[in-house]
Amino acid sequence: MTRRTTILGLSGIAAIATLAVWAAAPPAEVPYPANYRDWTHVKSMVIEPGHPLHGTFGGIHHLYGNEAALKGYRDGKFPDGAVIVFDLLEAVSADHTVTEGARKVVGVMHRDAVKFAATGGWGFEGFAGDSRTQRVVGPNAATACFACHQAKRDREYVFSEYRP
Amino acid sequence: MTRRTTILGLSGIAAIATLAVWAAAPPAEVPYPANYRDWTHVKSMVIEPGHPLHGTFGGIHHLYGNEAALKGYRDGKFPDGAVIVFDLLEAVSADHTVTEGARKVVGVMHRDAVKFAATGGWGFEGFAGDSRTQRVVGPNAATACFACHQAKRDREYVFSEYRP
């Protein structure tokens, strides 16, 4: 066995070991944002039929941020632990009003630069309706969420801005 | 002078003295609700053109409550110190969305059963746009605000309900 072969062999073993660990570790999960309704309300918006995102995000949505997220909104740097909630409700139109209907999804961006390095340092998840356990994104964050959020790289991938 | 006349005379003097004090005391003022943007978001609604209240309340509004107000939303009893803010913004319709525009008014209900006894225990005020000093209700709370809120006597004159 040449020295070169030995090195390659060791590298190969190391690579296999790394892959094994990687495969065994469960992907980092975004926790349900308990008590987010008591967080600061960042802004709101209605997305109506006819909008290209209506299928996914149609309704009235409110953004909420915890204290770390508010720091990020202020100075552009979101520290680990920052959590932003996108709370999407049905928009009920009647009698010249739009009121809030049933909850459609609780979308979450959870900042952890190491755990979620593959998606810009943010974990993305959605919880269906009022469920705290029914996940609608799971392992698809890169395509289902981050693909669009990449457009906001210069704002740490955050679309919303705090409305005073 | 009969005893009866004397009593009436004293009552008259007391009544005049009370009126003089009442006239001299400035009416209780509702303070600007500092930091209300950090309070809990209660609910939201859009009032569109064509609605009978559009002239006064047209736009997108958010209700916020301080901790005492949240207690009231929960159990129906609003303690003194409860403050509810009605934050009214322009509703900007474009491209199948409704977004938040300029602030129109910050409406306030401030609970104090003694100070505001004449209007159901609530002081009512409105602050124009982003001003913390330009009052739009002033001494007209009874007609400008309480007249409508009386319809909600069984809910301590509060129209809004907390949306979970």
Side-chain angles (χ1 to χ4, degrees), chain B residues 56-77:
Chain B
T56 317
F57 297 127
I60 180 165
H61 67 249
H62 306 298
L63 276 296
Y64 299 98
N66 65 1
E67 283 189 28
L70 290 174
K71 184 177 179 309
Y73 281 115
R74 277 194 301 270
D75 65 19
K77 291 282 174 196

Side-chain angles (χ1 to χ4, degrees), chain B residues 21-64:
Chain B
V21 167
W22 185 79
E29 253 194 1
V30 174
Y32 182 85
N35 304 322
Y36 76 88
R37 283 290 286 106
D38 294 327
W39 296 354
T40 294
H41 174 212
V42 174
K43 58 161 285 188
S44 297
M45 181 178 177
V46 182
I47 293 182
E48 300 174 319
H51 189 281
L53 292 177
H54 183 261
T56 317
F57 297 127
I60 180 165
H61 67 249
H62 306 298
L63 276 296
Y64 299 98

Side-chain angles (χ1 to χ4, degrees), chain A residues 91-107:
Chain A
V92 181
S93 289
D95 303 330
H96 307 292
T97 66
V98 181
T99 52
E100 298 167 321
R103 179 163 283 114
K104 296 176 74 174
V105 71
V106 172

Side-chain angles (χ1 to χ4, degrees), chain A residues 37 41 48 64 96 163, chain B residues 37 41 48 64 96 163:
Chain A
R37 283 289 285 104
H41 175 213
E48 300 174 319
Y64 299 98
H96 307 292
R163 183 260 308 153
Chain B
R37 283 290 286 106
H41 174 212
E48 300 174 319
Y64 299 98
H96 306 292
R163 183 260 308 153

Side-chain angles (χ1 to χ4, degrees), chain B residues 30 69 78-79 81-84 108-113 115-124 141 146 155-158:
Chain B
V30 174
F78 289 87
V83 181
I84 299 171
V108 184
M109 285 177 70
H110 188 117
R111 184 81 186 170
D112 188 314
K115 274 189 188 168
F116 304 113
T119 45
W122 289 101
F124 294 85
F146 189 57
R155 294 200 61 252
E156 297 203 340
Y157 309 106
V158 174

Side-chain angles (χ1 to χ4, degrees), chain A residues 3-76:
Chain A
R3 181 173 170 78
R4 181 177 174 83
T5 312
T6 307
I7 290 168
L8 282 173
L10 289 174
S11 299
I13 290 163
I16 289 164
T18 303
L19 276 171
V21 168
W22 185 79
E29 253 194 2
V30 174
Y32 181 84
N35 304 323
Y36 76 87
R37 283 289 285 104
D38 293 327
W39 296 354
T40 294
H41 175 213
V42 175
K43 58 161 286 186
S44 296
M45 181 177 175
V46 181
I47 293 181
E48 300 174 319
H51 189 281
L53 293 176
H54 184 262
T56 316
F57 297 126
I60 181 165
H61 68 249
H62 306 297
L63 276 295
Y64 299 98
N66 66 1
E67 283 190 28
L70 289 176
K71 185 177 179 308
Y73 281 114
R74 277 194 300 271
D75 65 18

